[in-house]
Amino acid sequence: MRFKVLLVDDEPAALEGMQLWINWPELGFDICGISSNGAEALEQIEKLQPDLVVTDVRMPVMDGLEMIETWQKRNIRPVSFAIVSGYSEFQYAQRALRFGITRYLLKPIDEEMAAEELGAIYKELVEERGRQRINRIASYEETVNLLKVLLNQPTSLPGDTPRIDVLSSLRKAWNVCLIQPRSSSSAETREGVSTFAEEREAMYLIDLESGSFALVYGFDPDTDGKDGLARMRDLENWCRTLGAFATVGAGAEGLLEISETYRQAQTALIHRFYTDDFAGITVYRDVAGFTFRSQYDQTELVDRIMGALQLLDKSGLEEGLSQAEDRFRENSLAPDIVRKFVIHLFYLMLEHLDELPDKASELQSRYDIPGKASAVYTMRELVDLIHSVGKEIIDLLLEVKSRRSQGVVQNINVYIQEHFREPLTIKKLAEVFYLHPVYLGQLLQKRNGVHFNEMIHNLRIEEAVKLLRDGTLNNGEVAERVGYANYGQFLKQFERRLQMSPNEYRNRN
């Protein structure tokens, strides 16, 4: 830790001696300036803000003790003082005690003694810096807690009025900047906002329950604009980089009215719902006159979207959600109504996973649509979320349907193997298994790799081959036994598969 020191003496040789004979950097000090009298030193103290002033006692215009007394009466900022005096000026050192000055360097400067004294001063400064930091943190936290109360109620407790008046007097006007971070960059956003506030005066970071932050900041309308936005430009760029929303109220003359500016910033945040980019800070004055529509018949939209889900139609689902988004934008539907619509869709979709309760619970936890709908998500993002949910549910339902169809096909194939000798048709088979004939034919084609009729002929000819080998039945009897009422059809199917007639096969075997 390093401290700044200002040297004050009316003798140039004495100033030069203090600079040359004392190893200031080694002792933890950097000389920030020099002055030749107390009046000039006062200006330098205010301008350079040194931590330590080493001053001669007897000087023209204003001596060292008068300068110390004047500065302490101003009570602008704490500064440590050390006086330089000779043995003959001991009475001045006694007077310095009245101002709390206990450190002094004797003329002529002795390097070893000066280093010892300055080392003790350095230690005191370090301890004082620590105390100041603790007090500053405690004072800051007290102020933040007070401001947090003021944000949520129009007036403070009577006992807080003096503190509020003192705080309000730091700036001509006050405002609230509400920042809503993305969940993926919440910690990074808060760290950046905290650093931004720490580097500026009259600016306080307040954590809110919703995961957002509020910056209560003072400003001068003449230089910072009527909303104080000039103080927020660097923050605006930071929020744009991280994709965080930021809004400000219209400002207030004092902190007792800060709750109204907070409400205005919250209102401005609602208007970010239909925004698809992070163009900057939204100002309440720009959206104050706009109103959202509070009612809209959503029945048709819900039916279309859920109908597409039931039909396992992903493109239909996307079209339905796109239509809903367009309708809501065109009608400027209130964001709360849209959020409830999305939440309603979410639970309707989950109901289709009643046979997969574990999957339904996993989706509910992973997507958490109710939680995200109440956060910073925009209309576009909510539609994308519910679209992802719908597509994932369709994939799960298709998987279930596929497993079911495999079981159904197995049962159908067993039935076909038991009844292929009968005049079995796809229509009759569909009646037995309560399926649509077209769907059944497509299902068998997909699972077995051959058409239903082709499968029947294959089974019949395989059976005919066995009977011909046995040799107890003639060709006509074999044809009839395997299910052919027409011998010509039997002959055609046999020759097609074995490249020979039944007689040729019988003779060869």
Side-chain angles (χ1 to χ4, degrees), residues 266-287:
Q266 289 176 311
T267 300
L269 185 63
I270 296 174
H271 287 263
R272 297 305 301 258
F273 183 72
Y274 287 105
T275 304
D276 294 329
D277 57 19
F278 302 90
I281 295 177
T282 299
V283 182
Y284 172 73
R285 296 181 195 274
D286 296 338
V287 299

Side-chain angles (χ1 to χ4, degrees), residues 314 317-318 321 382-392:
K314 290 185 179 180
L317 174 69
E318 183 176 3
L321 289 171
L382 282 180
V383 169
D384 288 343
L385 271 177
I386 198 67
H387 186 206
S388 297
V389 173
K391 288 193 299 182
E392 195 162 342

Side-chain angles (χ1 to χ4, degrees), residues 224-393:
D224 301 324
K226 57 186 177 181
D227 304 302
L229 276 181
R231 298 200 72 194
M232 296 290 110
R233 292 309 177 196
D234 292 340
L235 178 68
E236 186 173 30
N237 294 331
W238 176 261
C239 290
R240 185 184 290 112
T241 300
L242 293 178
F245 287 140
T247 62
V248 297
E253 292 184 359
L255 286 171
L256 285 176
E257 296 82 37
I258 203 69
S259 62
E260 177 60 19
T261 64
Y262 177 47
R263 184 195 64 79
Q264 293 167 351
Q266 289 176 311
T267 300
L269 185 63
I270 296 174
H271 287 263
R272 297 305 301 258
F273 183 72
Y274 287 105
T275 304
D276 294 329
D277 57 19
F278 302 90
I281 295 177
T282 299
V283 182
Y284 172 73
R285 296 181 195 274
D286 296 338
V287 299
F290 185 85
T291 56
F292 290 107
R293 185 174 175 179
S294 60
Q295 291 184 342
Y296 185 80
D297 187 1
Q298 307 164 10
T299 306
E300 178 189 348
L301 296 173
V302 172
D303 290 345
R304 178 175 181 180
I305 293 168
M306 296 310 300
L309 186 77
Q310 292 168 355
L311 294 174
L312 308 182
D313 180 6
K314 290 185 179 180
S315 61
L317 174 69
E318 183 176 3
E319 291 173 3
L321 289 171
S322 179
Q323 182 186 28
E325 181 181 359
D326 291 342
R327 295 272 183 89
F328 294 156
R329 288 185 185 275
E330 292 168 4
N331 289 274
S332 298
L333 193 63
D336 281 345
I337 305 299
V338 178
R339 293 186 183 102
K340 290 177 181 178
F341 170 81
V342 172
I343 293 172
H344 179 56
L345 278 181
F346 181 58
Y347 285 115
L348 285 178
M349 289 179 174
L350 290 180
E351 289 178 1
H352 285 74
L353 295 177
D354 55 346
E355 295 183 20
L356 301 170
D358 292 342
K359 288 292 184 181
S361 298
E362 190 266 330
L363 285 179
Q364 187 170 355
S365 174
R366 176 154 51 88
Y367 282 98
D368 185 25
I369 295 293
K372 291 174 181 175
S374 61
V376 69
Y377 282 74
T378 63
M379 172 69 180
R380 175 72 265 162
E381 291 169 323
L382 282 180
V383 169
D384 288 343
L385 271 177
I386 198 67
H387 186 206
S388 297
V389 173
K391 288 193 299 182
E392 195 162 342
I393 289 177

